[in-house]
Amino acid sequence: MEKGKGGAAAAGGGGGKLLLTTILDAKDELEERLERCMGIVTSLTNGVSEREANDALNAHVCKGAPQHEEICLGLFTLVLTEPTQAQKCYRDLALVSRDGMNIVLNKINQILMEKYLKLQDACRTQLVWLLRELVKSGVLGADGVCMTFMKQIAGGDVTAKNIWLAENVLEILTEQREWVLKSNILIAMAVYTYLRLIVDHHGTSQLQALRQKEVDFCISLLRERFMDCFMIGRDLVRLLQNVARIPEFEQLWKDLIHNPQALSAQFTGVLQLLQLRTSRKFLACRLTPDMETKLLFMTSRVRFGQQKRYQDWFQRQYLSTPDSQSLRCDLIRYICGVVHPSNEVLSSDILPRWAIIGWLLTTCTSNVAASNAKLALFYDWLFFSPEKDNIMNIEPAILVMNHSMKPHPAITATLLDFMCRIIPNFYPPLEVHVRQGVFNSLTHIVEKRVLAPLAPLFDNPKLDKELRAMLREKFPEFCSSPSPPIEVKIEEPVSMEMDNHMSDKDDSCYDNAEAAFSDDEEDLNSKGKKREFRFHPIKETIVEEPVDITPFLDQLDESLKDKVLLLQKGSDTEAQCEVMQEIVDQVLEEDFDSEQLSVLASCLQELFKAHFRGEVLPEEITEESLEESVGKPLYLIFRNLCQMQEDNSSFSLLLDLLSELYQKQPKIGYHLLYYLRASKAAAGKMNLYESFAQATQLGDLHTCLMMDMKACQEDDVRLLCYLTPSIYTEFPDETLRSGELLNMIVAVIDSAQLQELVCHVMMGNLVMFRKDSVLNILIQSLDWETFEQYCTWQLFLAHNIPLETIIPILQHLKYKEHPEALSCLLLQLRREKPSEEMVKMVLSRPCHPDDQFTTSILRHWCIKHDDLLAEHIKSLLIKNNSLPRKRQSLRSSSSKLAQLTLEQILEHLDNLRLNLTNTKQNCMWAGPGLFSAPGGRGCLATGGRSWEIGGRRQVGSMVAPECLGWGEAVRVRDPVVLCAVQTHCWSPDPLQGDGQRCCRVSFLSTMAGGALPSPSPPMESLAPAWLGSAETGRDIQALASGAASWDKSASFTHWAGILRRGAWPLPPPHSYPALYTWGAKVQRWDGAWRVGPNHRSVLEGQPSRLSQAEGLAPCHWPAVGLVG
């Protein structure tokens, strides 16, 4: 049965009889060694009788340990590659082995851990057959091999190969039950593995049959050997919960809870099991070696911020199917329980554990999977004991919640809600223990200063009221501190249990820092930014070594072998090209054996190593030099590919050859791009690269393109710049949607190459940004180095993209952290006419005395576009003043910076005023400028009607500050400004002394100068205390001295109407003569004023003044009389 299952998938692939080569393998040393040993055994046994063969093998083994190992490995290889001889070879192996088959067992484990995914399907079948034979023979150590086999059974995977492996291993364990019962650890591991797999096996009749076998197997071991299963710890309960609805397990649960003695006399109850932490070896066994390797790479080599491509790959490989939902729990438990970083790694910029877990939570697409994932994250919290458990097991959960608060508050909220609700709902009879476990966890987190304090997390305004209330109810001890949360690195060494086969050195790490590629070795400064200057080591001189392709030649057909030898001996390029064309022609023949493609690719890769060294692009780029550069023998494959139709079978065959070459020499990818760009024969054929990418092991255009451009960046920057226009033009969806390629380019180009790219953009040959993605790319660039950011902005400014498209980036810019972007944006804004959206975004920036961005651009606009700026500010004032003065919703999705407030506007304008008053060009207040423009007066009028919002004295100081400083020397020339003066200076707490006098004189001088337009503002609001003061006479005299300039104007008529309405009190008598003189100049006023009897007598006592006042008749005295 196993042969049928395993062999069914054996199709395609190249290389030897054991392994399928991958992109990472040019030549596999293990396979070569095994085949060499197999050759030795074959040479000793071929053509002789069975007895003679045994004698020859024994004689060779007796020569020494190396010869013993050769024979054992040779026979082992024959078992895997020659099924018909497997039984005989195994018998010989049992006879000649002198170490209990230890060499073979170690080699099996090595293949399972390192090479299983590359193993030919037939060899996988034989490997399982060999395991069955080892178990039947009772070979010591076979249980370890069996556990390694179980590790290869992937969770969340119901593909045929995976089901085949699970079924065959279960069959061996079931058939050899007595042997299984001899190993306690094997019992526990088998139960843990198949309890987990039961969840995945449902649906088809085949899966249902397998599931029933797994149920029967687990139930029998749990009931017969429960204390051996007990060593699993609390995760045994978690797995049993997932299968609790299966009838057999439902009965087991009843015994587990109500009758624990039925399972074992030593078992006291489920609490005893829950208080035992699960060993790391069990958590690790549910990840395949490949998954484990990828996770350890991400948590030990990938820098924070550069993890997306690795996460995307991992998701495509393991998390893309509906069945893979259950795998997330295994991954989270592994990260929490196995990946424990050292202190050195904690302080580095490596991708932290919480970031990976947060990502895994976001990939859950079903409620059941999400709940199970959250339980897996908090599982060690529920019965946490500081004496027995490890702080590193509970640390990821608290950090996920803390770091997700800003970018993903919903994740934080759902985790906090889960933490609260799991206490009473996990198992009600043990609610007290669960509550204590969670409390112990939080206490330990605070004591170890993983996060201190917790109050800002538990009482964060982004959480809804019900959740905060529940947190305060459940954890009042942690909801009292008002200070912000501080994440602190764990400084003391964390004790690590050494019960896992993995060493601490293999464990990974967490932290939050700026990202870079894993092979960069750049230092970080104290702020987390990379240093500006890189150290580029001097390249060592390459010493050419003789090419040895002998191991490959023996595997080629004679005709092909001869051509490859001619290619090796070729003295000049032209001769090599001719031979290479003959090789291509032979490959395209109908009877060509496609299995030789891999061997041929290995030969070509070795022969043309020189092609992949040094610069590809000619020093001087001309048509002739380009054509010469693409005349290499290897490029003949590209040329033939360009000449074929894509639906041709030969086309696919050449793509397969290129794919094999790509696996052995990844640089072939950007060489193909260069050929398609430079060769005349490839004009318009750039789409061939997409077919090539899909034919590779990667199978994805974006991943393949980014890897090739990265390789090009590392090898030849000039070539990178040369390819850039065509890459952006031909693959816009892959290049313009993110800043990945852009970052590669700006990280290595110099100023001359930048200028060249800018010219390409200006000439229309290159488009590196488009409107729908430019903002996201610019936001990504904020974490890049200074020169990289300046290059990015230069390239952006070369495009004809409206600035309004990226103006929202202002919400992300902080003056201390992003000076590069701010300076570039400021220089671009000064070239633009302000739009309302621009002004809004500029004014939305937080006010800070050291942040001069807003003041700088407002000052420039104030000088160049005063009317337009005033109108926009007026509009924003109106909009903000008309908004209901309610507290903004804390759950609003918009950024705080985008919520422009009236106070923000006025504060920025006040900063502008302070800046202008300290400069010689006081354009705004002393001459033509923002608020002297018509729009500016309207703007101030709008602001004046909202003074009570912003603070009367503050706004008054902003609008007319010069009245306090220079008095009569200032002409505000606007009624609204006068209102500001009176509001500021005649408020309920008026200024005293010279300040008050200065303001009055300034006010009166302005009025006397005829500054009042029509209609006038509500002058009735001026404080009556002024006209009743001792100096009113001199004040009115100041008015009278300039009254002639008013000349019966509409403004003065309006002023008279105010006086007629009796808004001001009566001035003292000694001011009357001055007022008469003033009034005589406006004799056209109609006598509508009501003068009291006491005042009329005073007027009548001044006939001489009346005669001097152009004969003003007594009937007109009321018109020039007192106010009142």
Side-chain angles (χ1 to χ4, degrees), residues 12 61 70 165 347 378 474 488 508 573 689 716 719 757 760 954 957 1052 1054 1079:
V61 164
E70 287 175 351
L165 181 61
S347 59
F378 283 103
K474 300 283 186 183
V488 182
S508 190
T573 302
Y689 179 82
D716 192 344
L719 178 59
L757 291 177
H760 279 300
Q954 176 186 358
S957 174
F1052 194 68
H1054 188 67

Side-chain angles (χ1 to χ4, degrees), residues 189-475:
M189 196 69 73
V191 169
Y192 189 88
T193 298
Y194 282 97
L195 269 181
R196 164 64 187 86
L197 295 175
I198 288 172
V199 178
D200 298 331
H201 299 160
H202 57 85
T204 66
S205 57
Q206 180 193 2
L207 291 178
Q208 291 286 7
L210 174 59
R211 177 175 181 162
Q212 190 58 48
K213 293 178 184 177
E214 292 168 338
V215 170
D216 295 340
F217 175 74
C218 292
I219 285 291
S220 63
L221 288 181
L222 282 166
R223 288 198 173 276
E224 294 179 26
R225 304 293 291 269
F226 183 80
M227 290 314 293
D228 291 331
C229 301
F230 181 86
M231 73 169 70
I232 295 173
R234 62 174 66 118
D235 274 83
L236 176 60
V237 177
R238 182 177 63 86
L239 296 181
L240 287 172
Q241 282 179 292
N242 295 334
V243 297
R245 295 185 181 275
I246 298 175
E248 292 88 342
F249 287 107
E250 191 173 356
Q251 184 59 45
L252 181 71
W253 264 108
K254 291 180 181 178
D255 292 339
L256 194 68
I257 294 173
H258 303 297
N259 189 18
Q261 297 291 317
L263 298 174
S264 173
Q266 304 171 33
F267 183 50
T268 60
V270 69
L271 179 61
Q272 180 187 6
L273 188 57
L274 287 167
Q275 289 175 335
L276 178 64
R277 182 173 68 86
T278 299
S279 171
R280 300 165 72 187
K281 59 174 169 278
F282 291 107
L283 300 177
C285 84
R286 288 317 316 129
L287 267 64
T288 65
D290 188 61
M291 292 180 195
E292 195 169 15
T293 301
K294 297 298 188 297
L295 269 184
L296 290 175
F297 178 82
M298 282 197 286
T299 55
S300 62
R301 297 288 304 280
V302 177
R303 296 183 182 176
F304 189 49
Q306 294 288 350
Q307 70 269 25
K308 186 177 185 303
R309 64 161 64 183
Y310 304 101
Q311 289 174 348
D312 289 346
W313 185 94
F314 195 92
Q315 185 165 359
R316 286 195 303 270
Q317 190 76 7
Y318 298 114
L319 303 175
S320 59
T321 64
D323 300 296
S324 64
Q325 292 289 321
S326 61
L327 179 60
R328 289 156 175 79
C329 300
D330 301 332
L331 296 171
I332 292 174
R333 293 298 295 145
Y334 176 84
I335 293 171
C336 291
V338 179
V339 183
H340 288 178
S342 63
N343 291 332
E344 179 183 0
V345 176
L346 285 174
S347 59
S348 70
D349 62 346
I350 299 299
L351 178 65
R353 296 189 299 166
W354 62 260
I356 300 180
I357 291 176
W359 162 65
L360 289 172
L361 291 174
T362 61
T363 64
C364 293
T365 58
S366 72
N367 293 332
V368 174
S371 298
N372 289 336
K374 287 181 278 189
L375 180 63
L377 179 61
F378 283 103
Y379 204 63
D380 286 314
W381 288 52
L382 306 184
F383 297 91
F384 182 82
S385 172
E387 294 78 19
K388 301 177 182 178
D389 289 294
N390 196 324
I391 181 66
M392 303 304 286
N393 290 5
I394 62 174
E395 176 228 52
I398 196 71
L399 293 185
V400 170
M401 293 188 286
N402 182 54
H403 289 287
S404 299
M405 181 62 79
K406 289 184 179 180
H408 304 290
I411 292 180
T412 302
T414 189
L415 290 176
L416 288 171
D417 181 77
F418 183 88
M419 184 179 69
C420 292
R421 297 183 188 278
I422 196 66
I423 294 175
N425 295 311
F426 178 73
Y427 181 46
L430 296 181
E431 179 180 354
V432 175
H433 293 86
V434 176
R435 184 185 303 277
Q436 186 61 46
V438 176
F439 180 82
N440 290 343
S441 301
L442 293 172
T443 303
H444 206 50
I445 285 168
V446 173
E447 289 175 353
K448 293 293 184 181
R449 296 186 62 78
V450 176
L451 194 69
L454 297 176
L457 174 63
F458 286 0
D459 200 26
N460 196 293
K462 288 189 176 183
L463 305 175
D464 57 48
K465 293 181 179 179
E466 293 78 6
L467 179 56
R468 281 186 284 166
M470 184 162 56
L471 286 166
R472 282 192 294 269
E473 177 188 352
K474 300 283 186 183
F475 312 108

Side-chain angles (χ1 to χ4, degrees), residues 23 120 135-136 178 265 271 364 402 412 422 515 532 647 731 761 769 855 872 908 942 995 1073 1098:
I23 192 172
Q120 299 275 10
V135 172
K136 286 181 182 178
E178 294 302 320
L271 179 61
C364 293
N402 182 54
T412 302
I422 196 66
E532 290 298 315
D647 56 354
F731 310 110
V761 174
F769 300 97
T855 303
H872 292 324
H908 280 305
T942 304
V1098 177

Side-chain angles (χ1 to χ4, degrees), residues 61 102 136 172 329-330 393 405 509 550 558 572 631 633 639 653 677 710 728 744 766 774-775 837 866 971 1116:
V61 164
N102 192 51
K136 286 181 182 178
I172 293 172
C329 300
D330 301 332
N393 290 5
M405 181 62 79
C509 58
T550 305
E558 287 301 321
D572 61 352
R639 189 175 71 183
L653 202 57
R677 169 74 173 86
K710 179 62 180 175
Y728 271 94
M744 291 184 201
L766 173 61
V774 60
L775 180 59
E837 182 65 18
D866 50 353
R971 298 292 185 267
H1116 290 143

Side-chain angles (χ1 to χ4, degrees), residues 155 361 694 850 878 959 1019 1048 1060 1079 1114:
L361 291 174
Q694 292 170 354
D850 294 332
I878 292 172
V959 176
M1019 288 299 184
K1048 308 173 191 143
R1060 272 200 302 274

Side-chain angles (χ1 to χ4, degrees), residues 857-1059:
I857 191 59
L858 287 179
R859 185 183 188 281
H860 176 79
W861 284 341
C862 176
I863 296 171
K864 298 293 185 181
H865 311 286
D866 50 353
D867 280 345
L868 190 58
L869 177 61
E871 286 299 328
H872 292 324
I873 295 179
K874 174 183 176 182
S875 175
L876 292 172
L877 284 168
I878 292 172
K879 290 178 181 178
N880 282 274
N881 193 35
S882 62
L883 293 174
R885 297 295 164 185
K886 295 181 180 179
R887 186 177 181 182
Q888 294 291 332
S889 172
L890 293 171
R891 302 179 70 83
S892 173
S893 60
S894 59
S895 170
K896 291 183 178 179
L897 293 173
Q899 297 175 358
L900 182 62
T901 64
L902 184 64
E903 289 81 357
Q904 239 177 338
I905 300 174
L906 296 177
E907 191 170 356
H908 280 305
L909 294 180
D910 193 41
N911 288 340
L912 177 61
R913 188 264 306 173
L914 291 172
N915 174 269
L916 292 171
T917 55
N918 292 328
T919 61
K920 294 181 180 179
Q921 298 176 351
N922 197 346
C923 60
M924 181 173 172
W925 308 107
L930 176 62
F931 296 120
S932 61
R937 290 195 294 269
C939 170
L940 283 177
T942 304
R945 288 190 290 274
S946 308
W947 285 341
E948 56 276 359
I949 299 170
R952 294 179 64 178
R953 295 185 65 84
Q954 176 186 358
V955 179
S957 174
M958 181 196 74
V959 176
E962 271 63 39
C963 294
L964 295 176
W966 291 282
E968 295 183 49
V970 178
R971 298 292 185 267
V972 182
R973 299 187 182 279
D974 193 282
V976 180
V977 181
L978 298 179
C979 288
V981 175
Q982 82 85 17
T983 303
H984 185 71
C985 302
W986 281 276
S987 59
D989 180 21
L991 297 176
Q992 301 298 323
D994 292 340
Q996 185 185 30
R997 168 63 183 163
C998 184
C999 290
R1000 280 202 310 274
V1001 172
S1002 175
F1003 169 68
L1004 296 170
S1005 300
T1006 303
M1007 292 172 64
L1012 293 179
S1014 180
S1016 172
M1019 288 299 184
E1020 301 94 322
S1021 63
L1022 290 172
W1026 168 58
L1027 288 176
S1029 65
E1031 299 184 0
T1032 304
R1034 281 179 290 171
D1035 293 341
I1036 296 177
Q1037 182 64 49
L1039 284 173
S1041 65
S1045 63
W1046 293 26
D1047 196 18
K1048 308 173 191 143
S1049 65
S1051 298
F1052 194 68
T1053 303
H1054 188 67
W1055 175 261
I1058 293 172
L1059 298 178

